[in-house]
């Protein structure tokens, strides 16, 4: 026995002796004291940590920008990478169709729906994306337009209330104005009448599926604005039906659509869309936003349909404004639309919508963010103007704001009249627009498998390149596979899950004895990760450990709203977990049952809301907690650090798919009651088990549908052993969907020559740990004899 082996033997002997002599805490640890709820304390600590991270995000953004102020042209070019990233995260990723604007007339109704002094109003529709149109009103001057404007009310505004402040006055001033319909906040069509109707606002219902597929309700509506810009910037009167051409007047023999300045203006949700559209497209000459601009670090408080993944990693409102520079920007500080939450559930309409409010910021908050924007680009001397009548609580669309916007468009100022438009515009009909956007998300869902295949087309990973018979040298193939999948592992962690830096604090392990059973002892364990953030769980240690012995560990993970005690407390008989950690320990395994931070209902869902704008998910925290736990377990003298396995149910099954895919220290993974055609489970509007109809509003992961379904995640666990456990009566999914996805997992293992490492067990039962085939799997692959 060499010196190092002797030292390890003596350490393990000391450990066993120490446990026997002083079993109140584990050797090498400090006493864990206090009676506080460690599970909910974890949620509170993470919440404080995230508040600090959100505040720090403001200063960190500068590292993402490489601004060149040598000339306006150089500046615009230098921020183009930021603009492209901005467009991607708001979901402006689909190619628009050829611009075509049509008048909406019927045999009984003229396309002209009103008129005002010097202009007419037409009902119009214009093409945006395949299967997606925009609808709205066209305010057409009777003379040659001096500018083109897209003007947007708040999405809940009554049509006639918005006409007077912006479109009518702009049209009187000679501007041609398009007013697109924005999806409102009611819940009339949210759901599926054959499955369940919900109280989700229309914007949230579209957001859920779109977010999973790398799109966004914001992106869809920005696309509608940019399609209008395409039409404004296009030649001639292309796309207008010949019979309606006379209704679009020409002046002085020139086409009314000759190139003119293009502006965007909006209030509330319309202000958001105008702001983002101007940042996305430099063809827009001038911008006026009313009732939207403010510091955005508390966007997590706002309705979830404003949640943009990774926004605050690079963009606050000031940074978005810097994408508009050096073009003019007018910000009108006024009362914001007041939103106290989603529609209430009612008869025939289930709850489950995400909470979220919109309130008016203080004028000092608006000034602070505007000053950040102005200082950011002051070397360009941009025409930025903040209009703040009174205390910032006034009405939108003031004469001062309209005059400033016209000046920004370099349109000659004319006296602003208040002559009312002779108009009786019908209220918006949202159903067609809602159905089109929902269907576009479902089209993206159907195309997702092909998009994922494109992502995974590295030569050695594309299954179409894996011929038959297979290479004889399986070991070499496995090694090459592990090298080739490393990029995807990093991509999953960085782009989908989100990566925090490693633990910054010393581990400082604290333990205390909580169970003393005939076959094992149980200890609560707390390990520090970051300030206010810790890992916590219960370690069960068999009493028959021999000196120098190192045993395998099974990490036993609870599901939604669970606690370590559900898995490891010998006095708890859960209908889901069936004391599986205790039973495994009685078989001689060491087990550790961690607390994952998905407990507390909206308390933990708020964590996801805070994480998403920083480009992270709850699993970004969980991954580092597990990494710390693995390091601690590996350092225990009675643990074999090459045999640490993971086994989780439900949300623990979600963990089984994600964390071992990132952390290779887990030697195998078992997913129970969760493996699925996960993307469809999230985004389908026709599957009755879809999260589209439930209260798990935190479940959606940005662009997952185009990057990683559960098969692709399992490919990152491969070639390590992997198993799926599923009850036929588990409502999480249906056998056929699960089997379809698993076939892709199994094929990967088989073609790599390690098919014996991949198993699936169905059983007659519900959503629970079955503990039959999975226990055999653990004995086999952890090389531990059955007892």
């Amino acid at each position: 026995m060499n010196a190092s082996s002797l030292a390890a033997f003596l350490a393990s002997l000391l450990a066993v002796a120490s446990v026997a002599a002083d079993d109140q805490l584990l050797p090498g640890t400090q006493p864990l004291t206090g009676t506080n709820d460690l599970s909910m304390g974890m949620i509170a600590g993470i919440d404080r940590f995230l508040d600090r991270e959100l505040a720090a995000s403001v200063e960190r953004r500068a590292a993402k920008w490489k601004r060149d102020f040598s000339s306006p042209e150089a500046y615009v070019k230098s921020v183009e990478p930021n603009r492209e990233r901005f467009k991607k995260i708001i979901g402006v990723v689909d190619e628009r169709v050829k611009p075509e604007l049509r008048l909406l007339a019927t045999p009984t109704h003229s396309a002209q729906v009103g008129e005002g002094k010097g202009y007419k109003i037409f009902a119009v529709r214009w093409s945006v994306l395949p299967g997606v149109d925009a609808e709205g009103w066209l305010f057409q001057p009777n003379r040659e337009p001096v500018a083109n404007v897209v003007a947007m009310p708040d999405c809940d505004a009554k049509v006639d209330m918005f006409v007077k402040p912006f479109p009518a006055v702009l049209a009187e001033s000679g501007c041609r104005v398009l007013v697109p319909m924005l999806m409102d906040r009611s819940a009339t069509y949210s759901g599926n009448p054959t499955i369940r109707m919900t109280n989700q606002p229309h914007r949230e219902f579209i957001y859920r599926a779109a977010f999973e597929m790398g799109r966004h309700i914001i992106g869809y509506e920005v696309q509608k604005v940019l399609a209008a810009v395409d039409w404004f910037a296009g030649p001639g009167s292309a796309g207008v039906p010949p019979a309606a051409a006379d209704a679009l007047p020409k002046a002085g023999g020139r086409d009314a659509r000759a190139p003119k300045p293009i502006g965007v203006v909006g209030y509330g949700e319309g202000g958001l869309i105008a702001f983002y559209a101007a940042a996305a497209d430099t063809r827009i000459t001038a911008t006026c936003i009313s009732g939207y601009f403010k510091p955005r670090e508390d966007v997590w408080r706002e309705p979830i349909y404003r949640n943009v993944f990774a926004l605050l990693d690079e963009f606050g409102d000031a940074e978005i404004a810097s994408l508009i520079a050096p073009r003019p920007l007018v910000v009108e500080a006024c009362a914001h639309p007041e939103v106290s939450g989603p529609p209430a559930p009612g008869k025939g309409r289930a709850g489950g919508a995400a909470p979220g409010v919109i309130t008016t910021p203080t004028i000092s908050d608006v000034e602070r963010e505007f000053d950040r924007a102005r200082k950011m680009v002051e070397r360009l001397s941009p025409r930025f103007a903040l209009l703040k009548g009174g205390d910032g609580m006034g009405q939108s669309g003031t004469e001062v704001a309209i005059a400033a916007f016209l000046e920004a468009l370099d349109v000659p100022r004319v006296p602003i009249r208040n002559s009312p438009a002779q108009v009786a515009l019908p209220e918006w009909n949202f159903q067609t627009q809602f159905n089109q956007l929902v269907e576009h998300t479902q089209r993206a869902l159907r195309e997702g498998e092909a998009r994922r295949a494109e992502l995974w087309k590295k030569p050695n990973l594309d299954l179409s390149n894996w011929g038959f018979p297979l290479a004889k040298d399986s070991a070499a193939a496995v090694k090459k596979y592990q090298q080739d999948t490393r990029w995807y592992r990093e991509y999953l962690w960085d782009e989908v899950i989100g990566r925090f830096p490693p633990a910054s604090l010393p581990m400082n392990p604290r333990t205390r004895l909580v169970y003393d059973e005939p076959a094992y002892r149980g200890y609560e364990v707390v390990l520090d990760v970051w300030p206010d953030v810790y890992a916590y769980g219960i370690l069960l240690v068999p009493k028959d450990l021999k000196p120098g012995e190192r045993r395998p560990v099974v990490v036993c993970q609870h599901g939604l709203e669970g606690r370590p005690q559900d898995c490891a407390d010998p006095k708890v008989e859960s209908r889901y977990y069936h004391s599986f950690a205790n039973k495994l320990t009685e078989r001689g395994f060491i087990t550790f049952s961690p607390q994952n931070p998905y407990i507390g209902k909206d308390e933990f869902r708020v964590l996801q809301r805070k994480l998403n704008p920083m480009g992270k998910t709850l699993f970004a925290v969980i991954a580092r907690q597990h990494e710390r736990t693995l390091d601690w377990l590996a350092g225990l003298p009675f643990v074999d650090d090459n045999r640490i396995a993971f086994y989780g149910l439900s949300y623990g099954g979600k963990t089984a798919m994600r964390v071992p895919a990132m952390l290779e220290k887990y030697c195998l993974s078992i997913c129970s009651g969760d493996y699925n055609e996960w993307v469809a489970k999230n985004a389908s509007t026709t599957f009755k088990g879809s999260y589209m109809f439930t209260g798990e509003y935190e479940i959606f992961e940005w662009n997952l549908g185009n990057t990683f379904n559960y098969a692709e995640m399992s490919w990152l666990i491969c070639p390590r052993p992997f198993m799926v456990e599923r009850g036929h009566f588990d409502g999480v999914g249906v056998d056929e969907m699960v089997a379809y996805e698993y076939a892709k997992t199994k094929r990967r293992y088989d073609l790599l020559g390690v098919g014996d490492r991949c198993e699936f067990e169905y059983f007659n039962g519900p959503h629970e740990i079955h503990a039959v085939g999975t226990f055999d799997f653990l004995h086999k692959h952890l090389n531990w004899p059955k007892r």
Side-chain angles (χ1 to χ4, degrees):
M1 181 180 291
N2 59 34
S4 60
S5 299
L6 178 61
F9 173 79
L10 293 175
S12 63
L13 185 64
L14 178 62
V16 173
S18 298
V19 170
D22 182 8
D23 56 18
Q24 295 305 304
L25 70 161
L26 287 168
T29 69
Q30 296 299 311
L32 176 61
T33 59
T35 59
N36 58 307
D37 184 338
L38 290 169
S39 298
M40 293 309 300
M42 175 185 289
I43 302 299
I46 295 171
D47 190 59
R48 293 190 296 273
F49 168 74
L50 295 180
D51 283 342
R52 293 193 298 271
E53 289 294 300
L54 284 165
S57 71
V58 179
E59 296 301 322
R60 287 201 293 257
R61 290 172 207 153
K64 298 291 182 73
W65 297 76
K66 307 297 179 186
R67 296 184 175 90
D68 181 351
F69 292 103
S70 60
S71 70
E73 295 77 16
Y75 176 82
V76 171
K77 183 178 180 180
S78 71
V79 300
E80 196 59 29
N82 305 85
R83 193 185 321 281
E84 290 304 311
R85 288 193 293 270
F86 177 71
K87 288 161 65 176
K88 182 177 179 180
I89 65 174
I90 64 171
V92 178
V93 295
D94 296 295
E95 184 177 354
R96 292 186 297 278
V97 299
K98 180 180 178 180
E100 179 182 359
L101 185 140
R102 303 179 296 281
L103 300 177
L104 296 181
T106 71
T108 57
H109 292 87
S110 168
Q112 183 175 334
V113 295
E115 62 181 353
K117 187 164 183 177
Y119 63 90
K120 295 180 176 65
I121 308 173
F122 300 93
V124 294
R125 176 182 295 144
W126 61 99
S127 50
V128 182
L129 303 171
V132 176
D133 299 319
E135 290 186 14
W137 317 119
L138 173 66
F139 288 66
Q140 180 71 36
N142 296 334
R143 58 191 174 96
E144 181 178 352
V146 295
N148 294 305
V149 175
V150 183
M152 287 160 283
D154 179 63
C155 61
D156 277 349
K158 298 292 184 182
V159 174
D160 55 352
M161 296 297 291
F162 182 69
V163 165
K164 181 180 176 181
F166 281 118
V169 176
L170 293 170
E172 285 182 14
S173 303
C175 298
R176 178 200 285 123
V177 184
L178 264 175
V179 181
M181 176 197 308
L182 301 183
M183 193 52 55
D184 72 341
R185 301 185 184 96
S186 74
T188 307
Y189 309 111
S190 295
N192 183 325
T194 66
I195 298 175
R196 181 184 300 160
M197 299 302 289
T198 83
N199 71 325
Q200 296 169 39
H202 293 147
R203 301 184 72 80
E204 178 180 342
F205 192 80
I206 295 165
Y207 156 88
R208 288 190 178 200
F211 193 84
E212 190 81 4
M213 301 311 304
R215 275 79 168 181
H216 205 291
I217 179 63
I218 291 172
Y220 282 134
E221 292 184 333
V222 167
Q223 290 276 43
K224 293 184 178 188
V225 175
L226 300 187
V229 172
D230 294 341
W231 182 73
F232 284 147
S237 56
V240 180
D246 290 342
L248 298 175
K250 298 177 176 62
R254 290 178 294 168
D255 191 329
R257 280 185 294 279
K260 296 289 190 299
I262 298 173
V264 291
V265 58
Y267 169 69
E269 221 65 26
L272 183 162
I273 302 302
F275 190 36
Y276 281 25
D281 198 323
T282 58
R283 294 176 298 172
I284 294 171
T285 309
T287 305
C288 177
I289 56 175
S290 177
Y292 178 72
F293 195 88
K294 56 171 280 190
R296 208 53 62 180
E297 287 69 57
D298 64 351
V299 67
W300 59 271
R301 298 181 188 273
E302 299 177 36
I304 199 167
Y305 45 79
R306 289 185 171 186
N307 178 49
V308 175
F309 192 75
L311 179 73
L312 298 181
D313 194 40
E314 191 167 351
F315 307 98
D317 280 10
E319 285 81 9
I320 295 171
S322 78
L323 288 176
I324 296 174
R327 294 168 288 152
L329 170 65
V330 177
V331 174
E332 183 180 38
C334 64
H336 289 211
E338 294 289 327
V339 175
S340 59
K347 185 177 180 181
R349 192 171 297 281
V357 300
I358 299 175
T359 58
T360 302
T362 65
I363 189 64
S364 61
D365 280 347
V366 178
E367 289 173 334
R368 185 172 73 253
E369 190 71 6
F370 186 81
D371 286 344
R372 275 209 323 120
R374 187 162 45 195
K375 290 176 182 176
M376 217 171 272
V377 294
E378 60 186 350
R379 291 164 63 181
L380 296 172
S381 301
R383 293 165 61 185
F384 280 13
L386 173 61
L387 308 178
K388 48 181 179 177
D391 58 0
M393 296 292 292
Q395 294 298 309
S396 67
T398 61
E399 290 189 9
V400 174
I402 294 172
F405 180 54
L406 288 169
E407 183 179 351
L409 282 168
D410 292 325
V411 169
R413 295 184 62 174
V414 297
I416 296 177
R417 298 178 291 274
N418 290 317
S419 56
Q422 297 176 15
V423 58
L425 296 177
E427 290 301 321
W428 300 120
N429 179 358
F430 294 101
Q431 187 170 14
T432 299
Q433 296 289 295
F434 175 84
N435 289 342
Q436 284 185 354
L437 293 180
V438 169
E439 174 52 30
H440 195 274
T441 68
Q442 299 308 289
R443 175 179 175 174
L445 174 60
R446 292 190 293 272
E447 295 174 351
E449 188 165 22
R451 302 290 81 77
R452 296 192 298 273
E454 289 176 6
L455 180 68
W456 282 80
K457 265 196 175 298
K458 285 196 173 186
N460 293 316
L461 298 177
D462 184 358
L463 290 180
S464 63
N465 293 330
W466 290 23
F468 186 84
L470 302 175
K472 294 182 179 179
D473 190 352
S474 178
V478 165
K479 183 176 181 180
K480 184 69 168 63
Y481 179 84
Q482 290 173 307
Q483 294 171 349
D484 290 337
T485 53
R486 187 155 303 281
W487 181 89
Y488 293 95
R489 194 182 318 283
E490 301 301 309
Y491 187 93
L492 173 67
W493 202 338
D494 291 331
E495 302 297 327
V496 178
I497 302 298
R499 190 193 300 254
F500 275 116
S504 62
L505 295 179
M507 198 175 293
N508 186 25
R510 285 94 73 200
T511 65
R512 64 184 168 205
L513 181 72
V514 287
Y515 315 125
D516 194 349
E517 297 295 305
Y520 60 84
R521 293 184 179 89
Y523 299 86
E524 283 190 311
V525 180
V526 173
L527 310 167
D528 288 334
V529 181
W530 303 298
D532 285 323
V533 179
Y534 54 81
Y536 157 60
I538 294 176
L539 181 75
L540 301 184
V541 183
K543 287 183 175 179
D544 62 351
L545 278 168
K546 297 179 177 60
E549 183 182 18
R550 291 180 177 268
R551 291 195 186 178
V553 178
V554 181
V555 173
C556 301
Q557 189 64 66
H558 64 76
L560 182 65
E561 299 296 337
R563 294 170 178 264
Q565 289 79 5
D566 294 326
C567 305
D569 189 329
K571 295 182 176 59
V572 172
E573 176 47 47
S574 164
R575 64 190 179 100
Y576 303 114
Y577 305 103
H578 302 302
S579 305
F580 79 114
N582 310 84
K583 292 174 181 176
L584 285 167
T585 308
E586 288 167 353
R587 289 175 175 236
F589 295 100
I590 297 165
T591 66
F592 185 79
S593 300
Q595 177 69 60
N596 272 4
Y598 35 73
I599 184 174
K601 298 182 179 179
D602 280 345
E603 290 185 54
F604 92 79
R605 293 189 169 98
V606 165
L607 303 183
Q608 185 83 313
R609 289 296 314 274
K610 291 183 176 183
L611 283 155
N612 272 189
M614 294 187 288
K616 296 176 176 66
T617 68
L618 200 59
F619 284 102
V621 177
I622 291 169
R624 291 306 190 189
Q625 290 175 311
H626 277 253
E627 185 176 57
R628 173 115 293 187
T629 299
L630 284 165
D631 288 344
W632 179 72
L633 289 171
L636 294 176
F638 43 80
V639 166
D640 183 344
D641 64 346
N642 292 314
R643 292 188 290 167
I644 303 178
F646 189 94
Y647 184 0
L649 172 70
S650 196
Y651 232 115
K654 293 173 182 55
T655 312
M657 298 309 304
R658 291 159 180 79
V659 171
M662 294 183 288
L663 301 182
E664 295 178 273
K665 288 183 179 179
Y666 279 119
C667 71
L668 67 78
S669 183
I670 301 174
C671 177
S672 178
D674 191 69
Y675 189 96
N676 219 317
E677 210 289 16
W678 180 251
V679 175
K681 164 77 174 175
N682 279 268
S684 172
T685 59
T686 58
F687 172 48
K688 66 180 182 180
S690 171
Y691 286 118
M692 289 294 294
F693 311 111
T694 71
E696 286 93 343
Y697 55 82
E698 87 293 345
I699 209 79
F700 304 92
E701 294 162 284
W702 171 250
N703 202 30
L704 192 72
N706 296 310
T707 54
F708 295 89
N709 207 333
Y710 272 12
E712 288 82 9
M713 291 183 196
S714 73
W715 297 348
L716 296 180
I717 297 170
C718 180
R720 291 167 288 159
F722 174 71
M723 184 172 182
V724 175
E725 179 181 54
R726 170 174 167 74
H728 288 303
F729 303 103
D730 190 338
V732 164
V734 294
D735 289 347
E736 293 82 358
M737 287 175 63
V738 176
Y740 174 80
E741 191 69 12
Y742 174 76
K744 293 180 281 185
T745 293
K746 178 62 172 170
R747 178 173 59 175
R748 179 78 46 157
Y749 275 80
D750 285 348
L751 293 181
L752 198 57
V754 291
D756 62 327
R757 301 181 190 177
C758 186
E759 295 184 23
F760 194 132
E761 182 189 37
Y762 285 110
F763 63 92
N764 288 321
H767 187 68
E768 64 180 0
I769 294 286
H770 187 49
V772 179
T774 52
F775 278 24
D776 290 342
F777 190 81
L778 289 168
H779 280 290
K780 174 183 176 181
H781 291 289
L782 293 179
N783 192 25
W784 184 251
K786 293 182 181 180
R787 295 184 174 182

